[in-house]
Every structure is written in C-alpha cells, then in structure tokens.
Amino acid sequence: MLIGINESNSQFYEGSQNEGKLITSNIIFQRLVPLDTTFSQLDNFPDDAYYLNAYALRELSYDPITRIKRGILYTGKLSSQPQDWKIKNADHMWNTVRLLTFQRCNTTVAFGNRNENTRNWCAIGEKDRFTIGELISVERLIDKRELLTFRMRNQFGLLPDLNNQQLNNTDFQQLNTYIKKVLDGAHSSPPESVIDRCREAAACALSIHLNLQGKDLAKLIKPLMNQQDHLQVVISSATIINRLHSRGKNSMQTNPKHKAPIISDKDAELAVICLGTLLRDLGYASWG
C-alpha cells in the first residue's frame, strides 16, 4: 500500500502500484527519524525535500492524557521521488499526477531487531518542531500491517515557574540557566542526559540555599540533612536525583554486583518531577 502527497495542494492519495484515489478524510502523516542511544541524529536532522531517505508515520490515534500514539510506518526510500500516479478525476478519466510517494514497511527496517532489552527512540515531526517518542510495542494486524505504539514525551508544564522575588538577580539568572538546560534536554536528549541536567540544576538550587558554592549534589545533601530537618521532601528529592544519576554511569550498568536497571524515559521524568518539587519546597518556584 502506498501513500502519495501532492506538493502543490497538500492533498493525500492512497493506492497501490502508483494508481490510487484521493483520501477525503483527515490524515496525520509525519516524518519519523529513528534515534540511537545518544540521539546523535538530532544534530543533523534530515530536511531533504523529497524524503528519499526518510521514514514517516501515519498516525491512527493519539491520547493526550497518556501520550500514547499509534500508527503505521512508511518509508520514502524508493528509486526516485516524486513518482507518477494515475488518479481518476470526477469525470472518471485518468490523470497523471506527480506525488511524493511512501510505501508501507516493517519495523525492523527502521529500528532493527527488537528484544526485551531494546529501547527504541525516534523523533516525530520536522526540524526544530518535533517530539521524542519511545517505541513500546509492535503488533501484527490481520492484514499483515504492523501497528506501532509510541509513548511520547510531555512537552508542557514540566517545571514550576521561578519566583524572582525569592532570589537575587545573580542567583535567579544562574538557576534559570540550569533550568533552561533541563527543559531543552527534556525535549531532545537521552534520559541519562536529562537526569544529569536535573542533577546540575538541583545542585545549583541547594548551593544557593546553603550558600555553599562549587560542590556537587552529593556533597550538598549531607549538610542539608544536618541543618534542615523541616525540608525532608527536598532531601528525598535531591537524593533520588543523585541516585538516578549514579545508575546511568557505565560502571553501574556493567557491574553485575549493582544490578542497576537500564535508565528509561520514566526515570528521566521522575528526575524532572523531583527537581520541580525541590524548587517549589525551597520557595524558589511555584506552579502556575
């Protein structure tokens, strides 16, 4: 099965062997870029106009609450682009139309062979306007198509707003710089990197609170425990972020004694939540 796009009017067509008909219903068809564990593909996000080396997802459903997206995978890797289609017009006459053409493909073409330890990431959208998603399941339908299910990253309301009345200008600017790094990373970085940025932001906030500069998060938690009995939630949040950071280290992942689970997007989300809680409980930020 093929999908064609008329560049002149953005109309979609569906058919086989380059003979098809207009799709009259709404269709969401987006570029899909498979990512490795470092998300290095985002540094050179493809913007080829003819999608000669591109994948695309035909979205079938999306739940904004669970952030679950389902769809069918296509590829534009054909011999040439665009291609000639025969389209029947309103007078039942055949016209030849040149369309950007995509054909259905299997998951293994884009993501390789998957197993229980595999984590497959992708970017869905266009350069500077995309969302990161994790492929969480592939189901074979009765018509031999594969139904892909993705969990998309949350893009809104990740952290509370900084309260500049509780911080002097220097501290506000410094902490805000770290928070921007967290937000940027939450959009386009691997989970380990997101956790690392949360750790840096948490260390900055605790350094301001304790008036201790130049120390990492682990060395700031102990004095906080000794001096601030009423900030148990802050202490727990900082400890979780610090532990998640340690789990992402190669020494922890490869040492069988530690039995550390593989860092996932959920771990990164937890780190962001803990950072937001820490900032709120220190009085440096508030939710909306």
Side-chain angles (χ1 to χ4, degrees), residues 2 4-5 7 17-18 50 52 76-86 96-103:
L2 302 175
I5 306 172
E7 294 181 277
Q17 295 181 341
N18 295 72
Y50 294 113
L52 283 170
K77 294 184 178 183
L78 304 176
S79 58
S80 63
Q81 289 278 25
Q83 297 202 349
D84 291 332
W85 284 52
K86 292 182 178 179
T96 298
V97 182
R98 290 185 65 77
L99 305 175
L100 290 178
T101 302
F102 296 81
Q103 65 180 2

Side-chain angles (χ1 to χ4, degrees), residues 123-168:
I124 297 179
E126 295 294 334
K127 188 174 184 179
D128 299 325
R129 291 176 175 83
F130 60 84
T131 305
I132 300 296
E134 180 183 3
L135 178 62
I136 57 176
S137 74
V138 180
E139 303 166 65
R140 178 84 66 178
L141 303 180
I142 198 169
D143 61 359
K144 307 303 181 183
R145 293 184 301 167
E146 289 184 341
L147 178 64
L148 280 62
T149 301
F150 298 90
R151 181 184 292 111
M152 308 306 296
R153 283 191 175 176
N154 191 6
Q155 300 297 306
F156 307 104
L158 294 178
L159 289 173
D161 298 323
L162 279 186
N163 185 352
N164 56 10
Q165 294 179 349
Q166 300 298 321
L167 297 161
N168 63 48

Side-chain angles (χ1 to χ4, degrees), residues 7 17 22 24 26 30 76 79 85 100 106 111 135 147 150 154 165 168 171 176 203 207 260 273 275 277 286:
E7 294 181 277
Q17 295 181 341
L22 179 68
T24 56
N26 291 331
Q30 299 171 283
S79 58
W85 284 52
L100 290 178
N106 292 330
F111 294 101
L135 178 62
L147 178 64
F150 298 90
N154 191 6
Q165 294 179 349
N168 63 48
D171 290 341
N176 193 47
S207 294
I273 291 170
L275 175 61
T277 302
S286 58

Side-chain angles (χ1 to χ4, degrees), residues 29-250:
F29 200 65
Q30 299 171 283
R31 183 195 296 269
L32 182 149
V33 179
L35 303 175
D36 58 25
T37 56
T38 66
F39 291 16
S40 61
Q41 291 79 5
L42 297 181
D43 295 333
N44 295 288
F45 200 98
D47 56 3
D48 52 303
Y50 294 113
Y51 295 83
L52 283 170
N53 294 304
Y55 297 100
L57 184 76
R58 180 175 185 176
E59 181 182 304
L60 300 182
S61 67
Y62 177 66
D63 184 338
I65 304 300
T66 62
R67 306 195 304 278
I68 295 296
K69 184 190 292 282
R70 292 185 171 90
I72 306 297
L73 186 65
Y74 286 76
T75 178
K77 294 184 178 183
L78 304 176
S79 58
S80 63
Q81 289 278 25
Q83 297 202 349
D84 291 332
W85 284 52
K86 292 182 178 179
I87 305 296
K88 187 176 289 187
N89 61 25
D91 297 325
H92 302 287
M93 302 294 291
W94 292 97
N95 293 330
T96 298
V97 182
R98 290 185 65 77
L99 305 175
L100 290 178
T101 302
F102 296 81
Q103 65 180 2
R104 229 164 44 205
C105 67
N106 292 330
T107 311
T108 53
V109 176
F111 294 101
N113 294 319
R114 304 179 71 245
N115 56 55
E116 59 183 11
N117 295 320
T118 301
R119 308 198 74 86
N120 295 122
W121 305 95
C122 67
I124 297 179
E126 295 294 334
K127 188 174 184 179
D128 299 325
R129 291 176 175 83
F130 60 84
T131 305
I132 300 296
E134 180 183 3
L135 178 62
I136 57 176
S137 74
V138 180
E139 303 166 65
R140 178 84 66 178
L141 303 180
I142 198 169
D143 61 359
K144 307 303 181 183
R145 293 184 301 167
E146 289 184 341
L147 178 64
L148 280 62
T149 301
F150 298 90
R151 181 184 292 111
M152 308 306 296
R153 283 191 175 176
N154 191 6
Q155 300 297 306
F156 307 104
L158 294 178
L159 289 173
D161 298 323
L162 279 186
N163 185 352
N164 56 10
Q165 294 179 349
Q166 300 298 321
L167 297 161
N168 63 48
N169 186 61
T170 300
D171 290 341
F172 178 87
Q173 294 298 332
Q174 184 181 28
L175 186 54
N176 193 47
T177 297
Y178 282 109
I179 288 175
K180 285 182 177 179
K181 290 181 180 179
V182 173
L183 295 175
D184 290 343
H187 177 59
S188 61
S189 295
E192 294 87 352
S193 179
V194 175
I195 293 169
D196 190 45
R197 295 181 187 193
C198 287
R199 180 173 175 268
E200 292 175 347
C204 178
L206 294 188
S207 294
I208 294 169
H209 178 76
L210 295 168
N211 196 25
L212 292 172
Q213 302 301 318
K215 295 183 180 295
D216 64 23
L217 185 59
K219 293 182 179 179
L220 290 166
I221 294 173
K222 188 173 182 179
L224 191 70
M225 294 173 65
N226 292 339
Q227 302 174 22
Q228 309 285 340
D229 291 338
H230 63 289
L231 292 178
Q232 290 302 315
V233 173
V234 172
I235 295 168
S236 297
S237 297
T239 302
I240 289 172
I241 294 171
N242 196 54
R243 292 289 186 182
L244 290 173
H245 170 76
S246 298
R247 282 186 175 184
K249 292 182 178 179
N250 183 65

